[in-house]
Each structure stands twice: as structure tokens, then as C-alpha cells.
Amino acid sequence: MFAAPTRICRVAIPAPLRTVFDYLVPAAFPWPSVGARVRVPFGPRRLAVGVVVEHADTSLASGKRLKPIAEILDSEPVIPGPMLELLQWAADYYHHPIGDVMATALPAKLRRGDPSVLHGERVWVLTSAGSQIDLSLFGRARVQRRVWEALNAAPAGLRESALAEVTPRWRATIEAFAAKGWVAYDDLDCLEGGPPATTAPPTLTPAQAAAVAAVGAAAGFAPFLLHGVTGSGKTEVYLRAIEKVLRQGRQALVLVPEISLTPQLAARFRSRFSAPIAVLHSNLNDQARACAWLMARAGKAPIVLGTRSAIFTPLPRLGLIVVDEEHDASFKQQDGFRYSARDIAILRASREHVPIVLGSATPSLETLQRVRDGAYTRLTLAERAGGAMMPTIELLDLRKLPHEDGISPPLRAALIETLARGEQSLLFLNRRGFAPVWMCYGCGWIAPCPRCDARLTFHRGGARLRCHHCGSESELPAACPTCRGTDLHPLGEGTERVESALTRWFPQARVLRIDRDSVRAKGALEATLARVREGDADILIGTQMLSKGHDFPNVTLVGVLNADQGLYSTDFRSAERLVQQIVQVSGRAGRAAKTGRVLIQTFHPSHPVLAALVHQNYDAFADYAMEERRQTGFPPFAHLALLRAEATAATVALAFLRRARAVARGIIPDTVQIMDPVPSPMERRAGRYRAQMLVQSTKRSALHALLRPWIERIGELKETRRVRWSVDVDPIDLY
DNA sequence: AGCACGCCGACT
DNA sequence: GTCGGCGTGCTC
């Protein structure tokens, strides 16, 4: 008799720990597959759901008694091999704990340990045989009769939850019916299945046709930048490329930056394809999300459309990836596992040998650089589809113009003209609330946030002061806390103030405000946008919320109330952001037959960034910005990592970063620079003091060679007990 | 992240 | 005398 060899599994467990944990596989259990979930005892009296990442016969956990696995949750890998490898790569690259990465990649239900079978509600329908049944057949079987009648009254079928309302004993009845072939079910209800496509494809412009041909001819990994001006029909190129993939029986993965853009794009897909669509974003309920994810994993969802985290959907027959608005910062997760879905998408396309299309009117400098390097192929759509004209762009010099409630006379005149023509105007101001400052005219006191280094914003709706950084709220002070004066006033303009001015000046006009405050309720944004499209609005005033993706065909005037935020900001990306934002919002104008006009108010009309905007020359801006990046040594000419720290006491975070820098001594390659630790631009936020330290290198490999051992050393510092710290690889925002 | 252990203030 | 505050330390 031989003793059975020790069977050990290495398991990734969702905890902020940069290791995997070894467990014994009890003799009575089969080997759990790599990629399967297991329930394991973890720490004192706690069960955790982890993912098996490796089999082993010896454990490195020296001197610890190994615990046995409590339960194997999947007989097949819940995360298929290629996805597991991608996740391990991502955990490595972003230096984030593997267990947490795995948890991010799984829908919440699976994360909790629910079965990974398609357990979605079924929709039951009568078959043609079932609908021809004579009621007398049921005799006195009242339950059967009621179920049949309910189904007969619902030609589109009934969900299981609806059947449960008909009778609690529906299941036995349905099973009996199914055995007789009277009913059939469909479990595609978590997919957005479409009726047969109705919309005829439009004729392509020559540029679109060339782009479609180029993507269609690609075999294996082929990255494309689809650089198309707003309204040039990038979506049509995606649709054609997807169509080809569907014909081959393969799956297409489409990533969009915002939840609010998914219904719009999903509707567009439905009108063209009868293929069902799995929509994945964070606002879905757990059931729907898990169902869509499992359908995608099973290869039953030909099209998967989602936001950032959808990049981790396993797709057995992936044929194409599309990243729409690839420049958008939302593709980068800003907390926890700080990954870039766009960058992971490129890696995934390369590993799975499929083409990837990165679409944008304002591509990121990183992507443009890869085009210049010859790594990506650029496809340009320089003209708007359907013969629509590009809007004209003019600057209004605020140094020479008076302005009332944020609006200068020429912009006001343009509003009047547009109203007179019965067309819509859109005003863009990236600042919600009534006024960004609440000030005492007696002594100059400005209402501060008690928990942040920030001013409180005055909101007239509700007459309160609010902090936009930590959410704290307070009543309006009756008197100035410094001088006891009562001469307190709002200073500056937010969207609420502009809205009220517009209503006052143009009482006959229908003014609609769109910002986080006005569309707080679920579905409110969709409802408001529908009103705009139906022509039930004359002037829109809003924040960046309305600059993204939504088409307003009747808008012919766009006013940018303050272009200057961001022109001279500390963040190296702010100019790029500003241009992208203004180009996006300008693109809302004149998309149909009418030519649009864009007016931009600024105190810096001669700034090169604004000059490039007026000439609608994104490449000129990119050249300018690229040169600036080259000289200052920022991406795409250097690679960055940012070490952040926050603590409840003032100097602790900075002291921690100094210690962290000290422990890099001896392991830092000379091609890597660690900058001085500095307080974050807004040092105090929500009562915590924040600091950061930038690490920079022209060699990506050198940067990562430092990060790996460095992070380990940092983790061993006793100072970590008093701070929250994190590493951000390829940071987007330096604050 | 959880959860337990551990040593100091106001309560049945 | 105990209940519980959150500092400290560990999780195969």
C-alpha cells in the first residue's frame, strides 16, 4: 500500500494580499480544475470563495498546517484558460493582488459562490401543438387549466416569475406540458434579442468603405485606430466589421466608456442585427449580469456590449474587439484594481489573434504615437456622413467682452437668432450648482469644506452649500462666521445660475438643464434626452454629461461658457482633456442638414490649444502636445507609475512616501527616476491627508523591474499600518 | 478586507 | 466589576 500523494491547490482569494494560498484537496474530492472556484476556510472562522490557479504536490507554505478545501464549486473552469492567463498578466502588470483581480473579473453572483450554470429565468411559450389543445382536456385539473390559459393569453411567453404569480405549483405543470411538447422555453431573456433586422444599411462613404475593407481584410491580430470626426459614421464601420464576424459565427466585443451610451448603441445594433446582444455594465442587477456573462462565456451571445469591466468577459469564439471613444478616461479604473480596459483590450486582441478597432474623433496621444511607430494602422474618416457640414468654431475674447451670468453679448445674440429659427442651442459649462463660491462681501470670507481643501458650492435648489469632493452638506450660514456680517452672496457661475438667467431672459423658451443633479433619478437622463430629441426643448445647459455620444440633430448652436479650466492646470493631460471635451461637445452641433456654429468663451484666445481647435485641426494640436510631452518626459515618451498614500494625520502620508523612496535604494535601475513625494493637489479630502510620488522611466521593463521588489519591501514597512497606500501603473490623473 | 486578540474608559 | 472602543496582527 502506498500513501496517496499530497494533492495541493494554489488558490487566489479576494483579499488585498499579494499571494496565493495553498490548500489540500481531500482524498474524497476530485482535482478541482484550474480556473474553477472553490470554497475554502480562510483565517479564523471564515469561508472564502477563491479561484484555483495551479495544481501542486508540495507547498511552499513552510511550517503552516494546510487546511483542506471545503467545497469545489465548479466542475469546469469558471474562468477559461486564456482569460485566466490574461488576468494573471494583469495582476502582474498592475501589481495588484491576484485574488482581487479575479474577483473583479467575475459577476457578483459568481463571486459569492452561486452556481455557474445558466440559471436565468426561462420564458415559456406554448408551441403550436400546445396552443391547439382543447380546454376540455384538462377536465378538473384547475392548475393545468390556469397555466395554459395564462400562456395562451401571452403570445410572447411568460417568465417564470410571472408563472409563479399564476400559481405556486406552476413548475410541475410546466414540466408535464414540456414532456408532452406543448411548451418550449427560451432562456435568452437576459440578452437583448432583436426582431429580424429592419434597417437597411446606408451607403458607405468612400472613406468608410476603405476602413471596412481594411478591418475586414485583417487576419489575426491587427490594431486599427479609426480616427473619424464627430458625425463621420464610425459606428457604421463598427457595424459592418461586426456583421462580418457574425457571419463567421464568431463573437464581437464592444466596449464603450459610459453606461449611458449602452442603450443607444444597443438599439442601433438591434435595428441591424437579429443576433441577441449581451449588455454588461455595472448598473445591471446581479442576476441579469451573471446571466449575460454566462451566455457570453457559453458562446451563445454573438455580440457583447459593455463598459470597462466587460473586457474580462470570456468569449470562446472571439472574432473582433471594438473600443469606442478610446481616449476616454473612464476606461481606466480609478480605485482598487487600477486597470486600463483599453490597454488590456489591445493585449487581449493580440493574444487571441483578432483585430481590434479603437475609435475616436480625438485619439489619445498614446494611441497616436503607436500609429507613428507603425504599430497601429490609422483609418481616417475626415468628412461627415450624409454630406453634413462641420460646424464653424469661433472664439469670444472674455477680456474684451462684458458677461452677465456667464454669457457674453455675442453668445446671447446667437442664442436669440437660434431661438428665432426654431432650432436648439446647447451650452456647456463643466460646473454644476448655482455658484462655486459663497462669499461674505463684508470681509471676504469664503465658505470652506470642513473636511477638504475646497470651497463649498452653493446649490439654490434646496438652498444649501455642498462639497463636490466629499459630499458634505450644510445650511446657508445666517451670518458670516468671521465678521458677523449678513452680506453673503454667491460668486461665479454654475449650471443652475445659467439656467435661471436663460429662463429670465427668454421666458418663452424651454430651457433644460442636464447635470448630475437634474438627472439624479434612475432613467431621468434617458427621459430628458428623449425630450430633447423630440424637440421639446430650445436651450440645453449642461455639464460634460451631455458632451458624450448623444446625438441632437436639431442643435445648431453650441456655446462653451468657460474653456479656460484646464488650459493652465498642473496635470500634464489637462490640455488633451480640454480639447477632447470641446471637440466632443462641438460635435453635437449641426449633425443633420443644418450647419452648426460653435462659440467658445475664453480669456486666452491666443493659446495654441484653442487656435488648433478653431482650425479644427486635431493633428495640429496633437503635434503641439506631443512636443510638449517629449520635452517634459511624459507619456507617450516615458512610462509612469504613481505611488499614492493617504492618512488621517497631516504629515504621515508624506513621511511614508519618503520611507518608501528610501527602501528603493539599491534596487532602483539608473534608467528609473523616483520624484520627490508631494502633497496631492487637494491635500485634504474627506478628512484624509493625501500625498503622492511619481516614478518615471523611458524603459517600461526597467520600471516594472523596480516595482515588483519595491512594492514587496514597501509592504513590509511598519509605516504601512498608518496609511492607505496604492500603486497606479500608467496613471491617467496625477492627483 | 475581515476577524480576533488585547488592553483602557463609562455603564448595567 | 463587565461591555466595547479601535490599535495590531494574521490569514495557506
Side-chain angles (χ1 to χ4, degrees):
Chain A
M1 278 302 225
F2 295 98
T6 321
R7 297 191 302 164
I8 289 163
C9 274
R10 303 204 204 292
V11 179
I13 286 167
L17 303 168
R18 288 166 210 278
T19 51
V20 290
F21 292 83
D22 292 349
Y23 286 88
L24 293 169
V25 182
F29 285 16
W31 272 111
S33 315
V34 168
R37 293 168 305 152
V38 287
R39 215 185 288 279
V40 290
F42 187 65
R45 43 157 76 243
R46 193 154 78 94
L47 280 176
V49 175
V51 176
V52 176
V53 293
E54 206 182 336
H55 291 167
D57 49 19
T58 52
S59 174
L60 300 167
S62 54
K64 305 244 169 73
R65 65 259 172 269
L66 298 185
K67 293 178 183 174
I69 287 170
E71 187 185 357
I72 297 174
L73 294 165
D74 305 298
S75 52
E76 302 282 305
V78 73
I79 301 177
M83 180 54 61
L84 204 64
E85 283 168 29
L86 187 73
L87 293 172
Q88 279 173 317
W89 174 87
D92 212 41
Y93 181 83
Y94 291 103
H95 299 277
H96 194 78
I98 180 75
D100 209 38
V101 170
M102 301 271 172
T104 306
L106 287 174
K109 269 172 78 73
L110 299 184
R111 204 155 49 212
R112 284 193 308 260
D114 287 9
S116 70
V117 288
L118 266 173
H119 214 64
E121 267 190 283
R122 290 172 174 178
V123 177
W124 292 92
V125 284
L126 286 179
T127 58
S128 55
S131 51
Q132 283 159 20
I133 285 167
D134 194 286
L135 265 179
S136 62
L137 207 78
F138 295 121
R140 262 177 289 173
R142 278 188 45 232
V143 170
Q144 292 197 4
R145 176 192 291 262
R146 278 170 55 195
V147 168
W148 187 88
E149 281 172 344
L151 286 168
N152 197 40
L158 283 179
R159 300 169 69 102
E160 296 187 335
S161 54
L163 282 166
E165 283 173 27
V166 175
T167 162
R169 291 161 58 198
W170 62 274
R171 191 172 283 281
T173 306
I174 279 289
E175 276 165 14
F177 284 8
K180 293 185 175 120
W182 294 349
V183 290
Y185 69 84
D186 201 346
D187 57 6
L188 303 193
D189 66 328
C190 64
L191 303 185
E192 305 207 2
T198 47
T199 312
T203 311
L204 297 179
T205 64
Q208 281 176 320
V212 169
V215 177
F221 174 56
F224 295 98
L225 163 62
L226 180 60
H227 186 180
V229 299
T230 50
S232 61
K234 289 189 289 293
T235 308
E236 186 56 36
V237 176
Y238 306 153
L239 287 167
R240 297 292 175 108
I242 292 167
E243 194 174 26
K244 179 170 178 242
V245 167
L246 298 184
R247 274 202 309 271
Q248 297 168 338
R250 303 177 76 183
Q251 295 171 287
L253 172 62
V254 181
L255 300 184
V256 292
E258 300 244 325
I259 295 170
S260 69
L261 296 180
T262 52
Q264 186 182 322
L265 207 53
R268 186 94 182 260
F269 286 176
R270 272 198 305 276
S271 74
R272 282 287 280 285
F273 304 125
S274 52
I277 302 164
V279 178
L280 282 161
H281 55 69
S282 49
N283 264 20
L284 291 177
N285 66 44
D286 290 353
Q287 172 74 24
R289 196 180 164 81
C291 181
W293 192 90
L294 287 165
M295 291 299 289
R297 196 193 63 165
K300 292 181 184 171
I303 303 175
V304 176
L305 169 64
T307 47
R308 189 173 57 225
S309 62
I311 190 56
F312 297 119
T313 317
L315 299 160
R317 296 197 314 276
L318 182 65
L320 171 74
I321 302 180
V322 172
V323 181
D324 191 26
E325 309 294 355
E326 66 86 23
H327 63 276
D328 200 289
S330 338
F331 286 121
K332 180 93 204 274
Q333 179 141 309
Q334 295 289 10
D335 55 282
F337 174 28
R338 307 178 107 100
Y339 65 98
S340 160
R342 178 199 60 199
D343 294 349
I344 293 181
I346 293 159
L347 186 83
R348 184 171 181 188
S350 127
R351 288 171 162 243
E352 303 199 24
H353 313 293
V354 298
I356 176 167
V357 179
L358 307 173
S360 180
T362 53
S364 65
L365 296 187
E366 283 82 350
T367 297
L368 284 175
Q369 184 59 30
R370 301 234 190 147
V371 170
R372 291 179 186 190
D373 292 345
Y376 296 178
T377 305
R378 173 152 153 169
L379 307 167
T380 306
L381 308 179
E383 314 230 309
R384 290 188 150 190
M389 300 294 287
M390 289 302 286
T392 61
I393 300 185
E394 302 154 56
L395 299 180
L396 298 176
D397 187 350
L398 286 179
R399 294 170 306 179
K400 296 175 184 158
L401 291 167
H403 47 281
E404 192 183 333
D405 289 319
I407 292 173
S408 64
L411 179 54
R412 190 165 168 169
L415 283 169
I416 292 169
E417 285 170 29
T418 311
L419 274 174
R421 283 200 305 271
E423 295 166 358
Q424 291 174 325
S425 305
L426 186 161
L427 299 181
F428 175 69
L429 176 62
N430 217 356
R431 191 191 271 154
R432 61 199 174 84
F434 189 86
V437 174
W438 183 252
M439 187 176 179
C440 168
Y441 279 13
C443 70
W445 172 83
I446 289 170
C449 173
R451 307 170 66 214
C452 305
D453 294 325
R455 317 280 187 221
L456 293 175
T457 298
F458 170 55
H459 284 252
R460 200 169 63 172
R464 293 175 78 80
L465 297 175
R466 270 189 225 154
C467 176
H468 287 182
H469 304 282
C470 72
S472 75
E473 260 192 54
S474 52
E475 303 280 330
L476 290 177
C480 171
T482 311
C483 72
R484 303 269 109 221
T486 52
D487 203 12
L488 300 164
H489 299 275
L491 207 68
E493 293 89 27
T495 47
E496 276 185 18
R497 181 175 219 153
V498 177
E499 177 192 28
S500 87
L502 293 168
T503 327
R504 202 166 61 243
W505 298 339
F506 312 116
Q508 76 288 2
R510 294 158 299 176
V511 177
L512 221 52
R513 175 164 62 90
I514 301 182
D515 55 31
R516 194 134 55 90
D517 301 314
S518 72
V519 297
R520 200 172 289 276
K522 199 173 178 177
L525 177 61
E526 286 68 29
T528 310
L529 294 174
R531 274 186 66 187
V532 177
R533 276 194 298 274
E534 283 154 22
D536 190 19
D538 299 307
I539 306 177
L540 311 174
I541 164 76
T543 57
Q544 61 179 341
M545 191 169 266
L546 47 69
S547 71
K548 287 191 187 173
H550 310 287
D551 291 345
F552 305 119
N554 206 29
V555 167
T556 54
L557 173 68
V558 168
V560 177
L561 298 194
N562 186 352
D564 297 342
Q565 299 163 322
L567 271 186
Y568 296 98
S569 161
T570 52
D571 194 298
F572 74 95
R573 256 181 245 272
S574 60
E576 184 183 346
R577 287 283 166 68
L578 173 78
V579 170
Q580 289 166 345
Q581 208 161 64
I582 293 183
V583 171
Q584 291 295 328
V585 76
S586 305
R588 305 306 113 210
R591 294 201 102 180
K594 301 155 189 156
T595 303
R597 189 175 175 206
V598 179
L599 299 175
I600 301 174
Q601 301 189 143
T602 175
F603 283 98
H604 305 281
S606 55
H607 194 288
V609 162
L610 294 178
L613 265 175
V614 170
H615 296 108
Q616 314 215 18
N617 191 338
Y618 188 74
D619 287 338
F621 158 75
D623 288 341
Y624 163 84
M626 205 75 103
E627 191 46 39
E628 199 174 73
R629 300 275 183 94
R630 186 194 301 277
Q631 283 170 15
T632 49
F634 273 111
F637 300 101
H639 305 289
L640 304 179
L642 192 69
L643 186 62
R644 299 170 211 265
E646 54 176 76
T648 47
T651 56
V652 173
L654 275 171
F656 164 79
L657 292 179
R658 276 193 289 272
R659 280 289 293 143
R661 190 156 70 154
V663 299
R665 228 169 270 144
I667 53 170
I668 178 169
D670 48 15
T671 48
V672 180
Q673 291 84 44
I674 302 182
M675 309 293 159
D676 286 329
V678 290
S680 300
M682 185 191 299
E683 185 177 14
R684 201 168 52 105
R685 180 167 173 164
R688 305 183 69 89
Y689 293 84
R690 309 173 309 147
Q692 60 191 36
M693 185 162 70
L694 196 62
V695 188
Q696 200 165 18
S697 179
T698 51
K699 288 207 172 71
R700 178 163 267 155
S701 57
L703 180 64
H704 286 264
L706 166 68
L707 288 177
R708 201 172 329 279
W710 189 35
I711 287 167
E712 196 168 323
R713 288 191 184 188
I714 294 172
E716 290 161 1
L717 289 174
K718 63 174 182 351
E719 283 88 346
T720 55
R721 288 201 281 270
R722 298 182 63 200
V723 297
R724 271 191 212 156
W725 66 283
S726 65
V727 184
D728 190 348
V729 176
D730 305 332
I732 287 284
D733 288 309
L734 297 190
Y735 55 82

